[in-house]
Amino acid sequence: MSEFLLKLYVSGKTPRSERAIANLRRVCEEKLQGNYDLIVVDVLEQPHLAEVANIMATPTLIRELPAPFRRIIGDLSNGERILVGLELEPRGEAAQETPAP
Amino acid sequence: MAESLSDLQLLLEQSSRDLLASEARFRNIIERTVDGVLIVDRQGLVRFVNPAAQSLFGRPAAEMLGGMLGFPVVAGETTELDIVRTSAGAVVAEVRVVETEWEGETAYLASLRDVTEREQAFKELARRASEMELLHRVSKAAMVRLDHESMLRLVLNEIIQSGFACGGGAYLCEPGLETGTAIDRMELRAGLPPGYSSPPTEASQYLQLAASPLAAAAVRDRHAVAGPGADAPASQPEALIQEPAVEQVAAVPLLAGESIVGLLSLTRKERRPFTPEDLRLLDLVGTEVGVAVHNLQLYDGLQQANRELRQVQEMMFQEERLRALGQMASGIAHDINNALSPILGFAELLLHEGEWEPKTKRHLEMIATSARDIAVVVDRLREFYRGRDKQDPLRPVDLVRVAADAVELTRPRWRDMPQEQGLVIQVRDELPEELPPVLGVEAELRQALANLLLNAVDAMPQGGELTVRGYAQEPWVVLEVTDTGTGMTDEVRRRCLEPFFTSKGERGTGMGLSVVFGVINRHEGEIDIRTALGHGTTFVLRLPAAKNGFLEEECQPIRVRPARLLCVDDEPLLREFLQDALTQFGHTVTVADGGQAGMAAFAAGQFDAVITDLGMPEVDGRTVALGVKARSPETPVILLTGWGTRLRVEGDIPEGVDLVLAKPATSRQLQMALAEVLTAKTGAAK
């Protein structure tokens, strides 16, 4: 199982949604080396899911795993900001930097 | 000290008041500003929300405060958010974020501006742009000069590539449908899946409008219509080809001006309905493609007309050439025959009357023989141009037998002679058991076919294969002679039917194929030559099949009511023949032995018709005819002449003469001629 479980909430199949999805995938591939699962939720198609998660605006990205939840909103094109906002620092990468004795 | 304390107290109070006032002012500004303002802490929790933000989100402050919005990330100055509202109506907000402090902690102030309208305008602009793009692509595709299928496929491809639809089909009405005619079916000319297969299946080839309400509505209203696809496959089987993958379908008539030339049907796989804007766009597409289809049809028609014109021109040119040549040949033949008569006559006279040395006698014989040979050649020449003679005894001819006879007749040339040279010519008989009869002169047809076979043999100097084929092809009976020989150049193909034209050098007379032409022409048939240099030649002879009615008519006796006839001829034998032959048919015959006597007899009696010889001493046939007409214009005159054939063909019928009959005339021909003139007279009287 992947280390990170991410949920992206978007509104409909608009260019903005498409852009958000593409940006996020790019960032995740770059920064998390595929060690993640991404679930995209269209709040127009599944409004009850948006209600449960209390989504106020999209795009909203939630880090569900590892706990606790972290949530960011807005522009998903900048990898650094996403990492900071979601506190995403893959353990694998940290381990690589400081090899175990 | 106390003073300074109270001063401080005062200062503090003043400051507090100022602070409160400033805070109130600040709050007032925030509260009244049209932009939504949110303060969010580092966890993304909402700590402050102004009224504008509340109305933007469609939620009261109580619901929002403490709620989780999320850590706001903005790259650059602004970003856009879709506000998720429980009530209807999408709202788009432009967001700016600045770092601030809230109750002693780092927080973020997000100001949100409602840009829904701007967004909508952008969307509308983008939609228009893509519409223009689609139209441009369609009209570019429609302008390509291709056949209908390729053009329509190109158009469909462009529509699909633009993302407007996933699949589609293009139907066309039958061309040449008159305006106002009810259209009940159309033919699928191009189709792309989903919904359409290409090439179309037998079941999907035709669209019956009665079976497709959608197509019928589009044609009736001359406007694009849309409907659910998979929901109603049973009611529109042709339009949708029972594919569950199709979710949506739209149909638009292809219009050229006022008339419908076809129908375009488009399918979508996903649940993306065709909007009114989509349908308006489709109307434009329908007009664009309709005009293109119409233009292509006109273009096709024009090309076809052009081709036909060129063919007719070529044919006319060819015929004119042959006619001119024929006339010339006929003239020359006549003159040669005239000049030949004394040569032959005197040569024979000398031979019979004189006592000659053997050498001189031999020379005289050679003169006579050569003169007779020339007469034969000249005769052949006349054959070429001789027109169809009404009195030619036309009989039902079995072309299978004629062809077999011709093959047999030419056997020495295609088997024995090549064999001597070690060549093999294989003859393939592909004649059917029987063919419908044609009306014609059997000997002539046999001669024509034999000439073709000989020509084919000559075309295969290295041997080869000779095929004789026959088949019926309404209204023709067709014979084909194919060789595997040298073939012809274009020039030779065009000229090979001309008299004297030969490609065989010294060996050829240039008459063989021109005789074929003459014979087929007289039989009202057609000759086609299919050839390519090095690939052999096929001569196709088409002869009109005899009509059943005509056959019966041929066998029936000719009915002419008994008439009073005057026959004028200076030949006693012929006078006798005329009297006998015509009396046998029940006519009353009076004879006169010359022009003078004939005119006198006509003045003295009552006659229904006059038959007169042309060449008579003193008063000739022309004078008799004029005399008869002067006295009684209604009375028909038949001219008997040894020149009959030529006179008829050239239309050089003397004044006062109703019909020319060639000598020697049979009694049946006489009766037919009488039938013609007497019926014509009755007809004219009516």
Side-chain angles (χ1 to χ4, degrees), chain A residues 13-32:
Chain A
K13 288 188 176 64
T14 63
R16 197 160 36 248
S17 306
E18 307 282 333
R19 213 160 46 232
I21 294 168
N23 279 337
L24 182 61
R25 278 196 201 284
R26 183 174 47 75
V27 168
C28 288
E29 285 303 318
E30 232 170 72
K31 305 289 181 182
L32 304 179

Side-chain angles (χ1 to χ4, degrees), chain A residues 39 43 45 52 67 75 77:
Chain A
I39 297 169
V43 302
E45 284 192 0
V52 168
D75 194 317
S77 63

Side-chain angles (χ1 to χ4, degrees), chain B residues 9-81:
Chain B
Q9 183 84 31
L10 273 174
L11 202 62
L12 188 66
E13 277 172 14
Q14 183 59 40
S15 296
S16 289
R17 268 200 306 278
D18 285 354
L19 187 65
L20 275 175
S22 151
E23 218 179 85
R25 265 204 307 278
F26 168 70
R27 199 173 280 272
N28 197 26
I29 291 169
I30 297 283
E31 302 266 319
R32 282 157 172 269
T33 183
V34 289
D35 284 350
V37 175
L38 283 168
I39 292 178
V40 180
D41 67 16
R42 294 191 68 163
Q43 272 70 50
L45 290 173
V46 178
R47 305 296 293 269
F48 171 83
V49 54
N50 77 341
Q54 291 166 38
S55 74
L56 202 61
F57 279 85
R59 303 168 193 237
E63 196 180 305
M64 294 183 73
L65 283 173
M68 176 64 91
L69 177 72
F71 177 75
V73 178
V74 174
E77 285 197 358
T78 62
T79 190
E80 279 156 11
L81 292 178

